[in-house]
Amino acid sequence: MPDDPIEERLRGAIIGEIEPQTIIIADYDPAWAERFGREEAKIRAALGEVALSVEHVGSTSVPGLAANLEAGPFGSQPARA
């Protein structure tokens, strides 16, 4: 859409073509919490004590809620010097 201001901003920032995106909403899956646990362990192993907090965020963190599978559900908060 040529008059779309969001597309115009994207075209000014992206090198190459804008790839069409498909948003997939999936029914809740209890395995998401298990996956977070595995990813949290990896993050903590890599960052050690620097990671004060590693939280499961976003729609996959809410039990029973359908979620966008493309969103990154992980965040960390590094220690401050």
Side-chain angles (χ1 to χ4, degrees), residues 2 11 14 19 24 33 60 66 78-79:
R11 290 198 181 282
I14 293 177
E19 296 179 16
I24 300 170
T60 62

Side-chain angles (χ1 to χ4, degrees), residues 42-59:
K42 292 177 192 176
I43 292 167
R44 288 192 179 282
L47 297 179
E49 293 180 9
V50 172
L52 295 178
S53 176
V54 180
E55 304 292 334
H56 188 180
V57 298
S59 55

